[in-house]
Amino acid sequence: MGRIAVIGAGMGAMAAAARLAVAGHRVVVYERAETYGGAVGRFERDGFAFDTGPALLTLPAVYRDLFVKTGRQPLEESVGLVQVDPSAHHVFADGTRVSLPNASRAGVLSALDEALGAGVGARWGDFLVRAREAWDRARRPLLEEPLWPNWPVLAERDPYPSVPHKKLLRTRRAGTLAEVAAWELRDARLAALLESHALAYGLDPRVTPASAAVLPYMEHAFGTWYVRGGVRELARAVYERCVARRVEFRFGTPVGRIVEKDGRAVGVEVSPDGAGASGPGTGTFEEADFVVAGVAPGVLEGLLHGTVIRNGDDVPARSGGASRLTVLLALSGGRPEGTAHRTVVHTADRDGELEAIFGERPGPPVAPTVVVSRPDDPALVPDSGHEAVTLTVTVPSGAPVSEADIERVLDTAGRALPGLRDRLLWHEVRTPADVARATGAAGGAVPAPALAAADGLLLHPSNSTRLPGLFTAGGWAHPGGGLPHAGMSGALVAGLIVEGPDFQGSQ
């Protein structure tokens, strides 16, 4: 079997490494940092522990499949998976609140009717039916199969079945998520609920295609899951599965260049001292039959020195994208009984928030939407008399963050955390610059999942490339960002290497 060089130890790269090792390949992972996980990081201090990346898992079946295909021990024997119930508690701008049960259509509709008024639940239920149709149409080409060579078909066709809407003697159909909210949901709070799913992935609902309806549908249909000990434990389990399958990890070993010979990737050049290669020929050459790059686009371009890597006609280049501001809170006092794991505090200035993030003069929103994560997990706190809380805000990539911005986030979070200021022992801030340092993504941009329509602007480059022998995995490759999508990218890369270019995806 062949020798595989994997650049980066993110979730997609490790998922590919484990599968390739089981197929009999000798796999070596080169990671510039001193640990695994990429964006799935962890911060610890004074007995408190926090996830600094994703906080919840959707579509756990992706990682269940990884563990089934790479060994006898199932995922649940490596990590504790708990369904979060309620899935989320929402605090709307007008003061109304609603807790949405996890993976229960009837429960969700009943909760919406009770909290927001009779008939509101039915409108959300009708939307979920249409979202399911979009999911059924898009699931295989956008999640389970390699990117089609004729990808423009996906770019032109929106799988969401919009409802005809009459306005000024004209019949229109929603083409964006914001239009779905305005024309089909017809309630400001339902609109906020829908658009918050796009915002969480750094997507502007005003221009994001209606096909993004699959994002709330995934949570509704497959549930929202917490990993005991934090999502970092999932990264640990995948890493240990790789090690058990004899994947070799070389931490503190940046790759300086992908080596090309006779029009094919033939290995990588690394710096054994961890300083990084300063130019061609300055590092140690490591030969490989295949190279898998699990790095951000700008990093990959640097490793290739301008080589064109995309497969077929180029997918349109994605612009900067959004990032995340994360505030980690160490609080005195235990977590109150019945507290929701996740609370979304919605902005009172939706237009101002979107303009601040996606407008011509981007910056942290003055009135941000804040996601408050309050895990019920003794592993994250020094004792039962303390609570570890994480606040997450979508901000523009590359945005500087001031103390005033942090104060506004804390003020907003106070709507879900009474007495926050009195309980606060200390806080730690993670800005887009910190995300950039951890992942190598320009400005700390966070990749979104691949979506249909929008002229292909929300598709990602194919896992195979124009440079034979080179493949891409992780959030910046097909099928895009998010934990399940990263795991699927690893499965697709392994399939393309093991079975060849005729590989059609998971069955």
Side-chain angles (χ1 to χ4, degrees), residues 5-324:
V6 178
I7 306 173
M11 298 299 284
M14 289 197 296
R19 291 175 181 269
L20 289 166
V22 167
H25 294 282
R26 177 179 178 267
V27 184
V28 181
V29 178
Y30 303 90
E31 170 57 55
R32 65 184 177 91
E34 297 296 336
T35 188
Y36 52 82
V40 183
R42 189 175 181 88
F43 177 80
E44 297 181 2
R45 174 181 165 188
D46 300 339
F48 292 87
F50 306 85
D51 282 322
T52 57
L56 293 170
L57 175 66
T58 55
L59 277 178
V62 171
Y63 289 92
R64 290 188 178 120
D65 181 72
L66 171 64
F67 275 69
V68 167
K69 299 291 175 57
T70 58
R72 296 179 180 178
Q73 185 183 39
L75 175 64
E76 278 82 354
E77 289 187 14
S78 296
V79 297
L81 285 181
V82 182
Q83 263 197 314
V84 175
D85 201 8
S87 175
H89 181 74
H90 291 267
V91 180
F92 296 106
D94 66 356
T96 56
R97 296 169 175 254
V98 63
S99 290
L100 301 181
N102 198 341
S104 169
R105 185 178 188 276
V108 167
L109 304 194
S110 176
L112 288 172
D113 275 345
E114 183 176 346
L116 308 185
V120 174
R123 288 202 293 278
W124 186 254
D126 291 343
F127 160 74
L128 287 177
V129 172
R130 295 188 292 274
R132 176 180 179 176
E133 188 170 339
W135 169 257
D136 289 341
R137 293 174 178 177
R139 174 178 58 88
R140 285 198 61 83
L142 288 181
L143 185 62
E144 298 177 354
E145 298 176 343
L147 186 64
W148 294 347
N150 61 333
W151 64 264
V153 174
L154 300 174
E156 298 162 1
R157 183 181 303 165
D158 194 318
Y160 180 78
S162 300
V163 176
H165 169 75
K166 289 187 176 181
K167 185 176 182 180
L168 299 178
L169 303 179
R170 295 176 58 190
T171 299
R172 301 180 178 181
R173 292 180 179 271
T176 67
L177 209 62
E179 290 173 343
V180 170
W183 300 350
E184 298 179 10
L185 298 180
R186 305 188 308 280
D187 183 284
R189 296 158 300 184
L190 288 185
L193 173 59
L194 174 59
E195 293 184 354
S196 67
H197 286 83
L199 193 64
Y201 285 104
L203 298 172
D204 183 351
R206 300 171 300 182
V207 297
T208 298
S211 64
V214 300
L215 300 178
Y217 177 77
M218 285 170 55
E219 285 196 12
H220 164 77
F222 306 110
T224 304
W225 300 77
Y226 174 67
V227 182
R228 282 290 180 194
V231 173
R232 176 67 179 176
E233 283 296 291
L234 177 64
R236 188 247 336 139
V238 175
Y239 166 72
E240 291 181 354
R241 176 54 56 93
C242 287
V243 172
R245 297 300 167 262
R246 299 185 178 180
V247 174
E248 179 182 351
F249 284 82
R250 298 186 188 176
F251 294 112
T253 307
V255 170
R257 184 167 67 102
I258 295 171
V259 180
E260 176 189 355
K261 182 179 180 182
D262 299 328
R264 179 181 177 84
V266 295
V268 297
E269 200 172 81
V270 302
S271 175
D273 62 4
S278 59
T282 60
T284 301
F285 172 60
E286 301 275 350
E287 186 177 1
D289 298 288
F290 299 96
V291 176
V292 177
V295 296
V299 176
L300 182 56
E301 290 169 9
L303 297 177
L304 287 160
H305 298 288
T307 301
V308 177
I309 63 163
R310 284 177 176 153
N311 190 25
D313 294 330
D314 285 356
V315 173
R318 297 171 64 101
S319 57
S323 185
R324 294 191 182 102

